[in-house]
Amino acid sequence: MELAEIIKDARKAAGLTQKELAEHAGVAKNLIYDLEKGKMTIRYENILKVLHILNIKVKYISPLGGKDA
């Protein structure tokens, strides 16, 4: 599963809109939209903020990790 899908699925599972996730992460809403569409790469610290809010471990999205990592 690609990062865009992981973020989108986790956001929906958390019951958050893109705007709410952006507000919690302190980033612009369009950044979340673009991230979910796979249109851009965002700064590492912003990715970490989004992952933290959605309770996604960095190991899960790492090419060296996996779902159970």
Side-chain angles (χ1 to χ4, degrees):
M1 187 180 285
E2 302 239 352
L3 178 60
E5 294 175 85
I6 293 168
I7 298 291
K8 185 175 184 177
D9 290 348
R11 176 184 58 77
K12 287 183 175 186
L16 296 171
T17 64
Q18 290 178 343
K19 181 180 179 182
E20 291 168 334
L21 177 56
E23 288 172 356
H24 289 304
V27 298
K29 178 185 172 254
N30 65 325
L31 187 137
I32 300 296
Y33 175 84
D34 288 346
L35 178 62
E36 289 185 1
K37 295 295 182 187
K39 291 185 177 180
M40 65 177 287
T41 304
I42 65 174
R43 293 175 23 173
Y44 184 70
E45 61 265 15
N46 290 336
I47 282 278
L48 291 179
K49 289 177 189 178
V50 171
L51 296 178
H52 177 73
I53 290 164
L54 297 174
N55 294 317
I56 299 171
K57 294 181 180 181
V58 174
K59 290 180 182 181
Y60 181 71
I61 64 162
S62 168
L64 302 176
K67 188 173 184 177
D68 300 321

